[in-house]
Amino acid sequence: MESALGMEGIERFIRREPVERIHECVLATLSLESERVDPRL
């Protein structure tokens, strides 16, 4: 999933889409990589 989001971000960059559209992929990738938060905290 992370790889697919990364490729999508690169494709959006190449197509010169708005920065917000590129950041969607970047932030989604980062959220997948982050550690889960314990809901009890």
Side-chain angles (χ1 to χ4, degrees), residues 1-4 6 14 16 18-19 24 26 30 34-35 37-38:
M1 185 61 141
E2 294 170 9
S3 178
I14 291 171
R16 297 182 179 259
V19 174
E24 288 175 354
V26 173
L30 289 174
S34 67
E35 295 180 19
V37 176
D38 188 347

Side-chain angles (χ1 to χ4, degrees), residues 1-8 25 28-29 32:
M1 185 61 141
E2 294 170 9
S3 178
L5 283 168
M7 291 303 297
E8 178 65 25
C25 296
T29 303
L32 288 173

Side-chain angles (χ1 to χ4, degrees), residues 7-27:
M7 291 303 297
E8 178 65 25
I10 291 170
E11 290 172 7
R12 291 180 183 188
F13 177 77
I14 291 171
R15 290 191 303 255
R16 297 182 179 259
E17 292 191 21
V19 174
E20 294 83 14
R21 297 271 298 147
I22 299 167
H23 281 182
E24 288 175 354
C25 296
V26 173
L27 295 176

